[in-house]
Amino acid sequence: MPTTDPITRPGRRALLAGLGSAALLGLLPRPAAADAASQAQGLVMAISADLTKLVNSGRSEAQLYRDFEGLLARYADMPAVAAATLGPAWRGASAGQRQAYVAAFQSYLARKYGRQFGEYRNASISVAGARDAGRAGVLVQTVVVRPGQENIAVDWQISDRSGRARAVNLIIEGVSLLANERAEIGAMLDAQGGSVDRLTAELRARS
Amino acid sequence: MRIACILLGALVPAWLAGCTAAPDPGSLDFDPLEESNRVAHANNKQIDKAIFQPVARTYGKIPAPMRKGVTNLRYNWKLPGQAIQSVLQMRGPQTAETVTRFMINTSLGLGGLLDPAAEMGLPYRETNFDETFEVWGVPEGGYLELPIGGPGTQRDWTGWALDILLDPVYLVAPATATNALFGIGTLDIVNDRYEIDPVLDELLYNSADSYTAQRISYLQNMRARLQGGTDVGQLEDVYADY
């Protein structure tokens, strides 16, 4: 009786079947990757819900910045983001300097981006998909829809390398927050003669 | 290589010949024209503060539906040129969509004042010589900030000039129509400045280095726009050095 079982009848067909399944395994997302992607999407939905609530809360500016800073601390890996924007100077900084810098950077960021919140009243955020970015994490693509204005493409880079899924970058219409802040922090650090302490003081003054 | 560099160096700038350790042309730090760009940037900021920003904020007081009508008109009459670009990009379906959109909005949309095509699933999708050059694989060249014009690259500004020179509407339509279109185009550029006012204001007047901030924002945005979104391969590993 003819059989197609590749184990009992090794041959050309078995080889093809083997190659086929190998290709399939390579093409299909591994369970872990698929899991990371759905986890990342879930995180972005949670962030979006909290942001939408905050933007439309009608709170005072001071409260808005404080609450936004709370969201940053909760959902983003701020020490990792702060370190990435500081670059080589991070390695030379003491534990105390790092801690002070991360705190000042977080407040500065909350204020800088919180200032734009007025533009997003009545906006809605919808998740459009997620793409695996290997070691860089997962890119969750969203569209911010504002009534009467153009849509904005906002991509969220999510990584679980800290132990849990957290945001590590935001890419608005192709513009990476991390790349922009690295240039900005670099310019500030130069202006402060390369001193991390004076940079931290400058960030506090801006927030 | 060295001899070739010396020979080439006499003809073209060193960075073009690839002889120096200059940043890679695809990177955000590639900026061979920085010196003259920074002069233009300083002047552009003053002009913006004195003229463009106040004019844009005044124009923004006009009700949104009226400003939208101006935008619709400008977009509609850019479509014939954009249909040609789609052909040059060898994108058949997009060419057909552009032509259909033009016919719908020119007739049902009262010459382009309204945008019924968008509701029929044919939204405006801008494409110009900059995108055609990208499709053809023409290199970006250096970042080029022009006096009054603002941010661009050598490739983008070349495309911009060709878009104007070769616009079929301007070649065919009577002078009264093209004058009106020129007025509409000017108003809509003012509107563009108004729409991005909060972002541009932050970028130009709150940055530690507004020139660099604008350059890297422009380059990233342009690349994502022409390449159809964020390139996952370009994402950085935040934990690499942490």
Side-chain angles (χ1 to χ4, degrees):
Chain A
M1 252 195 72
T3 168
T4 52
D5 185 353
I7 296 167
T8 53
R9 275 194 54 172
R12 203 160 152 230
R13 181 172 272 179
L15 185 67
L16 285 175
L19 284 174
S21 53
L24 261 176
L25 282 172
L27 281 172
L28 292 171
R30 288 159 289 125
D35 194 41
S38 65
Q39 214 174 58
Q41 289 200 39
L43 179 72
V44 170
M45 281 186 223
I47 303 173
S48 301
D50 278 1
L51 273 178
T52 310
K53 214 191 303 170
L54 180 59
V55 168
N56 295 304
S57 64
R59 288 175 186 227
S60 74
E61 268 191 9
Q63 272 180 312
L64 204 75
Y65 298 148
R66 228 185 359 257
D67 287 1
F68 183 36
E69 198 182 329
L71 292 184
L72 282 177
R74 184 150 121 229
Y75 288 122
D77 189 349
M78 286 313 289
V81 174
T85 56
L86 196 51
W90 175 263
R91 262 164 269 150
S94 71
Q97 280 176 319
R98 287 178 175 185
Q99 205 177 359
Y101 171 72
V102 172
F105 177 78
Q106 183 174 295
S107 312
Y108 150 84
L109 211 63
R111 195 178 181 88
K112 181 170 178 175
Y113 289 85
R115 274 201 289 269
Q116 305 281 336
F117 276 8
E119 293 300 301
Y120 296 95
R121 254 173 232 129
N122 304 317
S124 61
I125 310 174
S126 56
V127 175
R131 285 153 78 198
D132 183 20
R135 281 184 77 74
V138 175
L139 190 77
V140 179
Q141 296 155 303
T142 66
V143 180
V144 177
V145 180
R146 299 176 299 166
Q149 279 175 291
E150 308 245 344
N151 294 348
I152 305 174
V154 179
D155 296 341
W156 310 70
Q157 189 182 338
I158 309 294
S159 171
D160 56 11
R161 297 262 293 280
S162 67
R164 67 185 169 94
R166 286 194 283 187
V168 292
N169 195 8
L170 198 62
I171 297 137
I172 304 167
E173 288 288 336
V175 181
S176 150
L177 180 148
L178 216 50
N180 274 24
E181 290 308 323
R182 179 179 295 121
E184 185 68 3
I185 294 295
M188 279 189 223
L189 187 64
D190 283 349
Q192 300 302 331
S195 158
V196 174
D197 291 332
R198 281 168 56 194
L199 168 70
T200 302
E202 163 78 10
L203 286 176
R204 279 204 202 104
R206 281 171 175 252
S207 58
Chain B
M1 181 66 192
R2 170 165 279 176
I3 291 169
C5 278
I6 293 166
L7 287 175
L8 269 172
L11 300 170
V12 292
W15 60 264
L16 252 182
C19 299
T20 55
D24 167 55
S27 85
L28 292 176
D29 299 323
F30 179 67
D31 194 7
L33 311 170
E34 179 169 2
E35 212 175 310
S36 55
N37 282 341
R38 279 194 183 269
V39 176
H41 183 76
N43 291 330
N44 283 345
K45 266 173 79 170
Q46 287 185 334
I47 296 167
D48 181 71
K49 198 83 203 168
I51 302 168
F52 294 146
Q53 189 191 60
V55 168
R57 286 182 180 173
T58 308
Y59 184 74
K61 295 199 171 79
I62 294 172
M66 286 174 75
R67 285 186 283 114
K68 180 77 175 137
V70 172
T71 303
N72 287 343
L73 276 171
R74 176 179 170 224
Y75 282 179
N76 189 56
W77 294 95
K78 280 170 113 178
L79 291 176
Q82 299 191 356
I84 294 173
Q85 295 303 324
S86 298
V87 171
L88 295 175
Q89 293 160 15
M90 290 162 285
R91 287 171 172 159
Q94 198 184 308
T95 311
E97 279 174 25
T98 306
V99 171
T100 311
R101 183 184 155 83
F102 180 69
M103 293 196 300
I104 292 170
N105 280 3
T106 304
S107 54
L108 295 176
L110 310 176
L113 186 66
L114 305 174
D115 187 6
E119 283 143 47
M120 299 179 192
L122 291 171
Y124 182 70
R125 191 196 161 285
E126 180 129 4
T127 185
N128 294 303
F129 258 111
D130 54 359
E131 187 166 0
T132 302
F133 285 157
E134 171 76 23
V135 170
W136 288 353
V138 177
E140 280 173 17
Y143 177 71
L144 175 61
E145 179 156 352
L146 285 185
I148 301 173
T153 61
Q154 289 175 314
R155 183 184 70 183
D156 292 344
W157 282 116
T158 306
W160 176 81
L162 286 174
D163 285 329
I164 293 173
L165 288 172
L166 302 178
D167 188 333
V169 172
Y170 277 73
L171 296 176
V172 170
T176 43
T178 56
N179 285 344
L181 280 179
F182 183 77
I184 284 162
T186 308
L187 283 180
D188 199 46
I189 288 169
V190 173
N191 191 55
D192 286 344
R193 172 68 186 81
Y194 171 72
E195 298 270 341
I196 59 160
D197 188 48
V199 175
L200 197 65
D201 209 43
E202 180 72 39
L203 200 67
L204 289 182
Y205 306 112
N206 270 329
S207 295
D209 178 356
S210 65
Y211 168 73
T212 304
Q214 190 172 32
R215 187 192 74 227
I216 63 175
S217 297
Y218 176 84
L219 290 175
Q220 293 177 86
N221 175 257
M222 178 268 289
R223 287 172 191 163
R225 183 167 52 84
L226 299 185
Q227 294 161 10
T230 307
D231 178 2
V232 174
Q234 292 286 316
L235 290 180
E236 57 182 291
D237 176 4
V238 179
Y239 297 96
D241 292 320
Y242 173 56

